[in-house]
Amino acid sequence: MSLNRRQALLATAGLVTVADLARGGRVAAAVPRAPVLRGIAMHGEAGSDPDAIHRRYAREDAPKGGRLVQGVLGAFDTLNPFVVRGLAVPGARQFLHETLLQRSYDEPFSLYPQIAAGLEVPEDRDWIIFHIDARARFSDGQPVTARDVLFSWELLRDHGRPNHRSYYRKVVRAEALDGRTVRFDLAGAQDREMPLILGLMPILPAHAIDTARFEETTLTPITGSGPYRVGEVKPGESLTLVRDPDWWGAGLPVHRGLYNVDEIRFDFYRDANTLFEAFRRGLVDFRVETDPAQWANGYDFPAAREGRIRRDTLKPGVPKGIRAYAMNTRRAVFSDVRVREAIGLLFDFEWTNRNLYAGGFERTASIFEGSELSAIGRPAGDSETALLTRAGARVRSDILDGSWRVPVSDGTGTDRRRLREAIDLFRQAGWDLSAGLLVNRETRSPFTFEILVATREQERLALTFQRMLRRVGIQASVRNVDAVQYDRRVRDYDFDMIDYRWWTISLSPGNEQAFYWGREAGRTPGSRNVPGIDDPAVDAIVAALVEARTRGELVDACRALDRVLVSGFYWVPLFHQPAQWIARWSHVGVPAESSVFGYLTETWWRQQP
């Protein structure tokens, strides 16, 4: 891009004044501390020019208009997604609330201008300055100012979700340099990801939020600056978002080909079968399939046979994440690692996959499954071993040398070898099989626990596992509760075992790993450390992960973390889909290519609005 064109763009965004341009395009002497950038990457440099960006996963000339209806299993009771209390509408936040910078889904972790038109950051990343776009407005017409940015930081630091509180407390000092410029001091944080995390901070209006009541559930919409506003709210039934005709960001390059429909509606269903029937009848526009048996055999109906329903199989380039039976180690029954490993031996994936899921799932072993970040099958190199040593990590020898594999059964559902291995581990931990029951050697109390579930699919799998556990005398009960109670009990760690899915891990893991596995997170209600992992080595390795300066250092830290977690046997690893399965009515248009992260509904459009 030419210097003159860049100057003009910066002036339009409010980064430089006309007087600055007259001086040759230099920003006033009191402001600059580093060159003004229009993108930032976790490692290396951002890969695109934000003004000429073309996202291969978006169609820039996509038709505008129409409505997209999404079916959601469960319920909602709040429109505030930024706090722990209540059930928010999944996926709605991105359409209502903008962040300072926006992510590119073609790169591991790169951010580009949104509310912030530019940024300054030194090489050591000990501070960051954001320049707010002079055009940025909330949906009520009020401008986005430095005051709103500082207010959002303080609000989420003190009253937000546990991950926000943890992240934003790393800021030493925050100040407004002027009405549209904000500086965050990160000295001593030792966290190279923090500038990017601040870039992804949602910006909320200081003039429209009551701080004292922010943590309460509410069905009153929170004013945002995004492409949509809340249109209609039917509590527990549906939420309708409508396009903001005055959205300030419609012309930004990073938004080309995005947010194409005029209306987005989230319809809620209590039962998975009812939701599938609603899709078949055309009441819901698309469906993200999670049942391989249904994907293989459930779409033999007229609309599918006639081509009015399209089915897409996408293979994202990110790790698969992990779904598992998480054991709450805060409970005494799961405090011994030998017990946890034994319970994992009792789950027969091969039998379950064949009989319940038509063989459509693949077994999960690593938190970074399907990527170079996984430690499974890879011996630890010298630099990774040194990191594990510095962290004081306890890693089993077979996990360290890469020879350990997730247990494989004979597929009969009655694998005697696995059964003997499990019973031996239970004996080592002080549990004996007596008269058909597994009992504690000292107290003679039976081995019992509850598997908490919230859907029929979870219940079916839990009942299958219950029968497998019964073979060694474990009395496991299965309790199915509604979505609200399930959310509350998981939030408060009031469970023994749950069927849990951690968020998909990105290609550039960072601070969220502390929220998933860190000691402080495990003591904070609402975190994703649901097993209650309490290992200083995990914290030390996560600290090394977020401070990694090269891709090699990041890979070493991720593999070290993987080995420590696998060695702890905190969960019974279940399975993952080999691909994303999307079924959609033919009037829903999608780009020819998908992003590295898979499907993105904001890139879709209505064929005939």
Side-chain angles (χ1 to χ4, degrees), residues 182-394:
V182 180
R183 183 184 190 275
F184 292 97
D185 185 350
L186 305 169
Q190 298 295 305
D191 190 336
R192 294 184 60 78
E193 190 187 28
M194 270 306 297
L196 286 86
I197 287 178
L198 289 168
L200 290 176
M201 180 171 66
I203 304 305
L204 304 174
H207 66 275
I209 289 179
D210 181 356
T211 302
R213 304 187 63 181
F214 184 68
E215 294 186 53
E216 300 176 6
T217 59
T218 179
L219 292 176
T220 300
I222 297 176
T223 301
S225 64
Y228 296 86
R229 295 182 293 188
V230 173
E232 182 180 27
V233 181
K234 294 183 178 179
E237 181 180 336
S238 69
L239 172 70
T240 301
L241 309 182
V242 295
R243 183 192 298 281
D244 182 354
D246 301 317
W247 178 39
W248 78 274
L252 292 183
V254 291
H255 294 148
R256 293 191 192 115
L258 306 183
Y259 314 118
N260 300 307
V261 297
D262 288 339
E263 185 178 297
I264 302 170
R265 195 176 75 216
F266 299 86
D267 285 350
F268 286 78
Y269 294 84
R270 301 279 183 173
D271 176 81
N273 291 333
T274 306
L275 175 54
F276 183 69
E277 186 60 29
F279 171 72
R280 285 183 45 156
R281 294 173 56 194
L283 301 178
V284 171
D285 287 323
F286 72 96
R287 172 180 176 81
V288 180
E289 186 59 73
T290 58
D291 184 342
Q294 182 107 298
W295 185 249
N297 306 311
Y299 288 81
D300 185 17
F301 51 90
R305 290 194 297 268
E306 295 164 5
R308 289 183 289 131
I309 285 179
R310 311 281 173 81
R311 297 203 294 162
D312 304 318
T313 298
L314 310 178
K315 294 201 172 182
V318 295
K320 307 298 183 185
I322 186 167
R323 175 184 176 185
Y325 277 127
M327 291 173 270
N328 190 350
T329 61
R330 304 170 188 85
R331 303 281 207 250
V333 71
F334 295 128
S335 62
D336 193 307
V337 66
R338 293 166 296 188
V339 166
R340 299 196 297 269
E341 183 180 3
I343 289 175
L345 287 168
L346 296 173
F347 180 74
D348 192 330
F349 165 74
E350 286 69 29
W351 185 94
T352 302
N353 191 36
R354 185 178 69 252
N355 287 278
L356 268 61
Y357 303 112
F361 280 132
E362 295 177 357
R363 191 75 193 270
T364 308
S366 164
I367 61 171
F368 302 113
E369 188 74 33
S371 78
E372 65 169 339
L373 307 178
S374 171
I376 305 304
R378 297 182 172 104
D382 292 343
S383 55
E384 183 193 339
T385 301
L387 173 58
L388 289 165
T389 301
R390 291 195 302 272
R394 295 162 293 179

Side-chain angles (χ1 to χ4, degrees), residues 73 270-273 291 323 325 347 351-352 356-357 450-470 476-482 486 497-501 574-575:
L73 188 62
R270 301 279 183 173
D271 176 81
N273 291 333
D291 184 342
R323 175 184 176 185
Y325 277 127
F347 180 74
W351 185 94
T352 302
L356 268 61
Y357 303 112
E450 178 185 85
I451 305 175
L452 185 69
V453 301
T455 69
R456 288 187 178 179
E457 188 274 330
Q458 289 181 342
E459 184 177 40
R460 180 177 67 154
L461 181 61
L463 291 172
T464 299
F465 191 31
Q466 179 190 56
R467 291 191 292 272
M468 296 172 180
L469 294 166
R470 194 178 296 145
S477 60
V478 177
R479 184 171 184 189
N480 194 337
V481 298
D482 63 51
Y486 183 84
M497 176 183 282
I498 54 171
D499 180 342
Y500 198 71
R501 303 175 199 227
L574 293 176
F575 35 71

